[in-house]
Amino acid sequence: MTRPDKLLTLPEVLDELGGVSRRTFYRWRELGRAPVCLRLPNDELRVWRSDLMAWLDSLRRAS
C-alpha cells in the first residue's frame, strides 16, 4: 500500500534523517547534496516525502 505524498516541514525531515542538525542540512543544501526543497512565500522550506525517499534511495545506490 502506497502512502500519499506529503509536504514535510524541515523539523520532520531532520527527524526522518535521524536527528541531523539544521546547520548540517543547510550545509548540504549549499553543497547541492540535499533533497529537493520548496521555499514557501513565508520563506519556510518544505520537502515532498517522495523527494526525500528518492534522495535516500540515490544515496543507497551510490554507496
Side-chain angles (χ1 to χ4, degrees):
M1 183 171 163
T2 61
R3 215 182 232 192
D5 213 358
K6 176 186 173 191
L7 273 175
L8 301 173
T9 64
L10 188 53
E12 289 173 322
V13 171
L14 299 177
D15 188 51
E16 290 273 340
L17 295 174
V20 168
S21 75
R22 184 178 292 262
R23 176 66 193 124
T24 296
F25 186 83
Y26 279 108
R27 174 79 177 167
W28 291 347
R29 278 182 45 85
E30 290 170 12
L31 297 172
R33 296 181 182 166
V36 175
C37 297
L38 299 173
R39 185 170 298 279
L40 300 178
N42 64 1
D43 271 348
E44 290 185 8
L45 293 177
R46 295 290 189 272
V47 178
W48 285 107
R49 179 180 297 281
S50 59
D51 287 340
L52 179 61
M53 295 300 118
W55 176 75
L56 289 171
D57 281 343
S58 74
L59 294 177
R60 185 179 328 147
R61 285 189 306 265
S63 62

